[in-house]
Amino acid sequence: QGSAAACTETAAGSIILRAAPDEAAGSALGVVEALRGVGSLLGPLLGGFLYDTGGFALPFQVAGGTAALIGVGGFALLPRSSAGEAPGRSASIARLLRIPAVFA
């Protein structure tokens, strides 16, 4: 769960900064962080309600269905980017691992 959260948090920030206009990037990140907090507050309440309503499997079925819808929606709605858009800014894992601060 922790590594998945790290991946999604990083990807979400990158997608938001790339999709939002420069003058609105701070506001966009602020809205996302605020909604993440709301989700952290309401998620356990919704999960408990679903468990009481439909048993052990229902919260997992709703979470899986929601994740699938978000995944399909992301592919359908997010703009495509090409590797040539940002010259000199490679997304290579090998290049990332050469940065000393990554291991600090």
Side-chain angles (χ1 to χ4, degrees):
Q1 182 179 358
S3 60
C7 293
T8 57
E9 304 262 341
T10 305
S14 297
I15 291 168
I16 291 163
L17 289 175
R18 190 170 192 95
D22 289 342
E23 62 275 0
S27 296
L29 284 173
V31 168
V32 168
E33 292 300 325
L35 292 175
R36 187 173 290 141
V38 170
S40 294
L41 290 171
L42 296 180
L45 292 173
L46 178 61
F49 172 76
L50 292 172
Y51 175 79
D52 287 343
T53 302
F56 183 76
L58 186 59
F60 296 100
Q61 293 166 342
V62 170
T66 302
L69 287 174
I70 290 171
V72 169
F75 279 112
L77 299 174
L78 290 175
R80 305 285 184 247
S81 64
S82 66
E85 282 185 25
R89 295 176 61 189
S90 170
S92 161
I93 295 292
R95 185 172 181 185
L96 174 70
L97 295 177
R98 283 185 242 144
I99 301 171
V102 169
F103 300 103

